[in-house]
Amino acid sequence: MKQLRNAALIAGLCLLHSTLPVNAQTPPPPDPTEDRLMLSAGFLSAHPDLRFRLHGLEEFKAGRHEDAFKFFQRASFYADKPSQGMVAEMLWNGQGVAKDPALAYAWMDLAAERGYVGFLGLRERYWSALSEADRERAIREGEALYAKYGDAAAQPRLATVLRRERRKITGSRTGFAGNVQIYVPGPGGFEQIDGSKFFDERYWDPKQYQAWHDSIWTKPRIGRVSVGDVEQLPEAAPSSRIPVARPEVDAAEPQTPERDESGLGTQKDD
């Protein structure tokens, strides 16, 4: 039962629209993955962290856990902490992959790297359940995981994609989108998205993009997910037990099943 509650918690965490920041003065900007026009205009092609996480969730909900695991790993390659949490939970429960508590801990430690409360709690729950031998292996194998998937390696990859895809979309405008209108084909003809919405800096500037994620995940409130009793963390949660590793920014990207990535819109100037 506890394993099922863990899976439900992580599945809920991975849905942006199921979370809101606690005690926030202002809500975060709208979730672009809930906007049909934004997705049709190719927003996800420039945000591989969100794209592969959503593919993973689709496969997970359909019961295709092996494919889901691969998609979550690929999203993790681009610094997506919720996907790293899903990889950990699937390893912990043996969903789509052989059960491996030690490796699951290392992945949950990655997910908790930025101090997101939900992942810190699961990380400590994992640690308390590990044998001494598994703890030693978790720390040993976690160093290699951090080298490939930790923020020091993964965030520069994501930043490169964000900047490259924005330049590709805006072309000679050098990133300025004030007069850009994006036209998306639909059943009733073309629909229009204002460039100021599509190119909101919070979705394209690497630092602001992380801040947007932080506003959602640092202290999430989960809705409509049964997770049993809430476990309180100590006032000062332990830091990572895994040694700092040299980041492998140029590491090979994980492979995933082929998916239809069509849906790019066309653009016109006013």
Side-chain angles (χ1 to χ4, degrees), residues 13-31:
L13 282 170
C14 283
L15 294 171
L16 287 178
H17 62 267
S18 293
T19 65
L20 290 172
V22 174
N23 298 325
Q25 297 299 316
T26 57
D31 176 8

Side-chain angles (χ1 to χ4, degrees), residues 74-138:
R74 196 164 181 183
S76 297
F77 189 73
Y78 292 100
D80 190 59
K81 294 305 179 187
S83 291
Q84 291 172 4
M86 281 299 290
V87 170
E89 191 72 354
M90 294 178 78
L91 281 163
W92 188 262
N93 294 325
Q95 293 172 295
V97 65
K99 189 172 183 178
D100 191 331
L103 199 56
Y105 172 83
W107 275 97
M108 192 59 77
D109 192 275
L110 271 173
E113 183 179 10
R114 296 177 202 153
Y116 296 164
V117 171
F119 300 129
L120 284 170
L122 286 170
R123 185 193 70 180
E124 294 311 300
R125 187 188 300 176
Y126 284 12
W127 184 256
S128 66
L130 292 180
S131 67
E132 194 58 40
D134 276 341
R135 288 180 176 183
E136 292 177 2
R137 187 165 68 85

Side-chain angles (χ1 to χ4, degrees):
M1 178 63 70
K2 181 175 288 189
Q3 290 179 347
L4 291 176
R5 290 200 301 264
N6 287 353
L9 173 59
I10 296 297
L13 282 170
C14 283
L15 294 171
L16 287 178
H17 62 267
S18 293
T19 65
L20 290 172
V22 174
N23 298 325
Q25 297 299 316
T26 57
D31 176 8
T33 66
E34 292 185 348
D35 190 320
R36 176 184 59 82
L37 288 179
M38 290 279 280
L39 299 188
S40 299
F43 183 87
L44 289 180
S45 67
H47 296 77
D49 55 329
L50 296 181
R51 179 167 88 249
F52 294 123
R53 186 207 301 173
L54 290 178
H55 286 335
L57 284 167
E58 289 175 1
E59 298 302 303
F60 188 88
K61 289 187 287 186
R64 295 185 288 268
H65 291 159
E66 289 186 14
D67 286 349
F69 185 82
K70 294 176 182 177
F71 279 118
F72 288 134
Q73 276 193 314
R74 196 164 181 183
S76 297
F77 189 73
Y78 292 100
D80 190 59
K81 294 305 179 187
S83 291
Q84 291 172 4
M86 281 299 290
V87 170
E89 191 72 354
M90 294 178 78
L91 281 163
W92 188 262
N93 294 325
Q95 293 172 295
V97 65
K99 189 172 183 178
D100 191 331
L103 199 56
Y105 172 83
W107 275 97
M108 192 59 77
D109 192 275
L110 271 173
E113 183 179 10
R114 296 177 202 153
Y116 296 164
V117 171
F119 300 129
L120 284 170
L122 286 170
R123 185 193 70 180
E124 294 311 300
R125 187 188 300 176
Y126 284 12
W127 184 256
S128 66
L130 292 180
S131 67
E132 194 58 40
D134 276 341
R135 288 180 176 183
E136 292 177 2
R137 187 165 68 85
I139 293 172
R140 185 172 61 252
E141 297 197 23
E143 191 169 357
L145 281 180
Y146 262 92
K148 183 173 182 178
Y149 295 98
D151 276 350
Q155 284 188 330
R157 292 187 200 111
L158 180 59
T160 296
V161 174
L162 291 174
R163 295 187 181 110
R164 182 190 67 220
E165 294 301 314
R166 180 168 181 170
R167 286 195 302 269
K168 185 185 298 183
I169 294 172
T170 57
S172 62
R173 305 176 187 88
T174 63
F176 177 70
N179 295 322
V180 174
Q181 298 297 321
I182 301 172
Y183 293 85
V184 180
F190 282 90
E191 299 179 77
Q192 178 178 308
I193 304 175
D194 189 87
S196 63
K197 177 181 179 181
F198 188 89
F199 290 104
D200 188 319
E201 285 293 327
R202 291 170 292 190
Y203 306 137
W204 296 90
D205 176 78
K207 289 185 178 179
Q208 292 190 50
Y209 188 55
Q210 180 179 327
W212 171 57
H213 283 282
D214 289 347
S215 71
I216 295 169
W217 297 108
T218 298
K219 290 185 178 180
R221 180 173 69 244
I222 308 303
R224 301 184 301 278
V225 179
S226 176
V227 296
D229 295 334
V230 175
E231 296 186 14
Q232 296 295 325
L233 281 174
E235 288 188 9
S239 59
S240 173
R241 301 174 175 90
I242 298 173
V244 175
R246 182 178 179 180
E248 298 178 6
V249 178
D250 298 324
E253 185 171 357
Q255 297 301 302
T256 50
E258 294 293 328
R259 291 294 298 262
D260 180 11
E261 302 291 354
S262 62
L264 293 177
T266 58
Q267 302 174 89
K268 299 178 182 179
D269 289 329
D270 279 348

